[in-house]
Amino acid sequence: MRSFSALLLALAMLPAIAAAAWMWVEIFKAAEDLGSLGNFEGIHFDE
């Protein structure tokens, strides 16, 4: 019975762990995307 309870607990925690991992990956990708704009000065129009 004890191993069955552990299995149920693991299955219950699986979506939360997957969501946390997905969120971490998305935040990491967003930080990389924003970091690439660090030296961006905008568009310069030449006349």
Side-chain angles (χ1 to χ4, degrees):
M1 187 68 179
R2 185 169 228 183
S3 62
F4 182 70
S5 297
L7 177 64
L8 284 179
L9 179 63
L11 287 176
M13 292 179 62
L14 189 61
I17 292 170
W22 174 75
M23 189 177 296
W24 180 79
V25 168
E26 290 299 319
I27 289 172
F28 184 75
K29 288 193 314 189
E32 279 188 342
D33 290 343
L34 291 174
S36 66
L37 298 175
N39 295 329
F40 183 68
E41 296 178 4
I43 299 173
H44 298 285
F45 297 102
D46 294 329
E47 293 184 17

